[in-house]
């Protein structure tokens, strides 16, 4: 069963802390994504990556950075956590070949981060 | 830029009623992909369907059906004879064939099915 695994389901951090959210996929996908989900706003794209060591800003990158040193792992970093970064964070991966019959995006279970 | 609008924030129905969730999208690409996902209270996103822009054929899967109309840029989702287990947040999403290949989501519709 193909999977995207996020290291923590729930996380509580203090304001100003550096926070790492980890995501690992076992499907050998080249594309990986980080979203945050807030009520009434749906899922918004923070960062994405098409390959190892490559990263692109999404719609709301401010206050975040990412790291992709290995194909299977995509990390989201909150350099100095703030209370407005309290949210649900979802990682996803996809195969770039859109002509595959099973083309799609696979999501992790999410990390609910609370910054106090 | 691409955009997905789900105007219905919350819908409440009684079990066995039919319900339609609306989705309107905007894109400049001629090739694009539309998705529906379900998010139950447990939080994970469950894939329901993918449609590409060249396939306007409607699809039915059990109690679920989807109506894709390019003329109105809509991709609506109907649940027939709703059940309590259908209670969830439903997201419509779009990805374009060019440019960044990330999903753009609507804001979601919360469906409550009362017994």
């Amino acid at each position: 069963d193909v999977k995207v695994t996020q290291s923590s389901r729930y996380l509580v951090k203090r304001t100003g802390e550096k926070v790492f959210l980890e995501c690992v996929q076992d499907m050998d996908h080249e594309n990986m994504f980080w979203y945050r989900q807030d009520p009434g706003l749906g899922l918004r794209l923070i960062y994405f990556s098409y390959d190892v060591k490559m990263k692109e800003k999404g719609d709301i990158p401010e206050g975040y950075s990412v790291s992709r040193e290995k194909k299977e792992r995509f990390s989201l970093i909150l350099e100095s956590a703030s209370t407005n970064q309290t949210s649900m964070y979802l990682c996803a991966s996809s195969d770039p070949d859109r002509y595959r019959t099973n083309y799609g995006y696979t999501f992790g279970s999410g990390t609910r981060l609370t910054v106090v | 830029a691409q955009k997905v609008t789900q105007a219905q924030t919350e819908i409440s129905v009684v079990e066995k009623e039919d319900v339609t969730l609306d989705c309107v999208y905007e894109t400049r690409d001629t090739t694009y992909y539309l998705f529906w996902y379900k998010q139950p209270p447990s939080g994970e996103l469950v894939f329901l369907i993918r449609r590409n822009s060249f396939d306007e054929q409607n699809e039915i899967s059990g109690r679920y059906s989807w109506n894709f109309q390019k003329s109105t840029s809509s991709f609506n989702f109907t649940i027939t004879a709703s059940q309590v287990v259908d209670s969830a947040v439903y997201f419509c999403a779009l990805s374009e064939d060019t440019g960044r290949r990330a999903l753009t989501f609507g804001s979601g519709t919360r469906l409550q099915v009362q017994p």
Side-chain angles (χ1 to χ4, degrees):
Chain A
D1 196 15
V2 294
K3 262 189 174 176
V4 174
T5 303
Q6 294 183 232
S7 54
S8 304
R9 189 82 172 99
Y10 298 95
L11 215 50
V12 180
K13 296 292 182 180
R14 294 195 180 277
T15 301
E17 275 193 73
K18 191 169 186 176
V19 181
F20 293 85
L21 302 184
E22 306 288 346
C23 175
V24 177
Q25 51 98 359
D26 64 2
M27 295 164 281
D28 202 34
H29 283 169
E30 292 175 10
N31 300 339
M32 295 189 74
F33 311 87
W34 274 106
Y35 290 87
R36 66 176 277 176
Q37 181 181 1
D38 300 289
L41 297 177
L43 281 76
R44 294 178 293 166
L45 182 66
I46 305 172
Y47 265 98
F48 56 105
S49 169
Y50 292 145
D51 205 346
V52 175
K53 296 197 186 293
M54 291 184 68
K55 59 185 179 184
E56 297 281 346
K57 291 181 180 178
D59 298 319
I60 51 164
E62 297 77 20
Y64 303 94
S65 63
V66 290
S67 172
R68 189 145 180 222
E69 297 296 319
K70 292 185 178 181
K71 190 175 186 179
E72 67 270 19
R73 185 179 295 270
F74 191 36
S75 303
L76 180 68
I77 303 158
L78 286 66
E79 297 290 344
S80 177
S82 65
T83 55
N84 63 12
Q85 291 178 311
T86 291
S87 188
M88 168 73 95
Y89 290 88
L90 288 143
C91 175
S93 73
S94 76
D95 190 312
D97 185 354
R98 289 164 177 247
Y99 300 101
R100 289 183 185 272
T101 54
N102 62 349
Y103 164 71
Y105 297 75
T106 303
F107 284 82
S109 300
T111 296
R112 188 165 292 282
L113 172 68
T114 302
V115 182
V116 297
Chain B
Q2 63 214 49
K3 186 179 177 182
V4 177
T5 302
Q6 293 180 258
Q8 303 151 309
T9 305
E10 189 160 345
I11 301 174
S12 183
V13 299
V14 176
E15 215 171 10
K16 296 184 183 175
E17 278 188 47
D18 298 348
V19 58
T20 296
L21 309 182
D22 297 333
C23 173
V24 174
Y25 62 91
E26 294 176 29
T27 176
R28 293 179 183 172
D29 270 22
T30 54
T31 303
Y32 52 89
Y33 301 82
L34 294 163
F35 298 76
W36 274 96
Y37 286 87
K38 174 182 180 180
Q39 188 178 46
S42 54
E44 78 276 17
L45 277 172
V46 178
F47 167 77
L48 296 178
I49 190 172
R50 180 193 79 237
R51 260 288 174 266
N52 72 51
S53 52
F54 297 110
D55 182 3
E56 283 194 77
Q57 198 169 4
N58 291 330
E59 179 150 342
I60 298 174
S61 176
R63 295 183 298 106
Y64 295 171
S65 63
W66 291 268
N67 180 258
F68 175 29
Q69 291 196 346
K70 286 178 77 169
S71 60
T72 55
S73 297
S74 64
F75 186 43
N76 296 337
F77 172 33
T78 297
I79 302 175
T80 303
S82 59
Q83 300 176 1
V84 172
V85 293
D86 295 327
S87 296
V89 180
Y90 291 86
F91 290 99
C92 181
L94 164 75
S95 83
E96 295 175 331
D97 200 43
T98 58
R100 73 183 198 189
R101 293 186 174 182
L103 282 170
T104 296
F105 284 84
S107 54
T109 298
R110 180 177 298 277
L111 174 65
Q112 304 253 29
V113 182
Q114 310 287 350

